[in-house]
């Protein structure tokens, strides 16, 4: 049941943000009482932190380095994973949407969001290499998250493709 509740919470957060769900909503959708949600997750913040942690683990596994990859391969791996996130169901990156709300989140949720971005940036910087690797990794992650916002606002994955087309010289447009 805890996994099901995290699935439901993740979908709602990715669609409407942290304020977009309540334990009552989750309980109704899962067909249980609100008290049962509290049994698995004592607070909304603990649930959101668990969801963010799980999301980060899943995302980082999806972008794991391949043997002998080039810097462009690493960038394209991140680009493809982020694109797939919004293309799949039109929803935002969980940590991206929570990051936008960081000033209003409980510390444990903010810590998970910061950890997600820190790990992505460090991983990408290591894989891209070079003197400006950290700055480049920050730029790439910021561009990917911003591209998701544009795609969602326009309701068009083409906006994502346009916004990310120059991230890597070998990036090709997808339709």
């Amino acid at each position: 049941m805890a996994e099901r509740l995290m699935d439901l919470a993740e979908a709602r957060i990715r669609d409407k943000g942290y304020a977009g769900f309540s334990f009552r909503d989750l309980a109704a959708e899962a067909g249980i009482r609100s008290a049962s949600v509290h049994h698995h997750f004592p607070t909304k913040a603990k649930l959101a932190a668990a969801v963010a942690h799980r999301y980060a683990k899943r995302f980082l596994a999806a972008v794991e380095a391949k043997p002998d990859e080039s810097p462009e391969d690493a960038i394209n791996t991140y680009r493809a994973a982020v694109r797939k996130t919004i293309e799949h169901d039109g929803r935002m990156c969980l940590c991206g949407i929570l990051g936008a709300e960081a000033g209003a989140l409980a510390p444990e949720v903010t810590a998970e969001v910061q950890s997600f971005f820190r790990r992505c940036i460090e991983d990408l910087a290591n894989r891209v290499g070079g003197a400006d690797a950290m700055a480049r990794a920050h730029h790439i992650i910021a561009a990917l998250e911003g591209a998701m916002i544009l795609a969602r606002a326009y309701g068009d994955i083409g906006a994502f493709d346009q916004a990310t087309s120059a991230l890597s010289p070998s990036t090709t447009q997808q339709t």
Side-chain angles (χ1 to χ4, degrees):
M1 182 54 67
E3 285 295 315
R4 171 84 171 121
L5 292 170
M6 288 196 309
D7 290 345
L8 295 171
E10 180 179 331
R12 288 181 179 253
I13 293 168
R14 288 184 56 223
D15 198 35
K16 297 180 181 179
Y18 184 77
F21 80 96
S22 69
F23 277 17
R24 188 176 315 128
D25 297 332
L26 299 180
E29 197 167 346
I32 60 175
R33 297 181 313 120
S34 260
S36 297
V37 179
H38 285 279
H39 170 75
H40 294 285
F41 302 98
T43 66
K44 184 176 180 176
K46 290 203 182 309
L47 172 57
V51 170
H53 181 81
R54 183 183 75 163
Y55 182 89
K57 185 176 179 180
R58 188 174 64 233
F59 182 84
L60 288 165
V63 297
E64 190 171 44
K66 305 289 186 272
D68 301 320
E69 74 178 1
S70 69
E72 288 77 21
D73 291 339
I75 294 166
N76 288 333
T77 295
Y78 269 82
R79 181 182 181 272
V82 173
R83 187 182 196 280
K84 184 178 177 183
T85 297
I86 194 159
E87 185 179 40
H88 172 70
D89 57 15
R91 292 182 173 130
M92 296 296 298
C93 161
L94 179 97
C95 290
I97 202 159
L98 289 173
E101 300 177 312
L105 298 176
E108 63 258 49
V109 182
T110 301
E112 288 293 341
V113 171
Q114 289 172 348
S115 174
F116 170 79
F117 284 115
R118 189 175 299 111
R119 291 167 65 196
C120 287
I121 290 166
E122 288 172 0
D123 176 60
L124 193 52
N126 287 333
R127 291 161 67 180
V128 168
D132 64 345
M134 284 301 284
R136 191 165 179 207
H138 276 87
H139 174 258
I140 292 164
I141 296 299
L144 292 171
E145 291 292 336
M148 286 187 83
I149 293 169
L150 291 175
R152 179 126 188 236
Y154 284 124
D156 179 8
I157 195 69
F160 179 91
D161 295 335
Q162 287 294 315
T164 62
S165 65
L167 287 179
S168 173
S170 63
T171 299
T172 57
Q173 294 277 332
Q174 296 187 15
T175 56

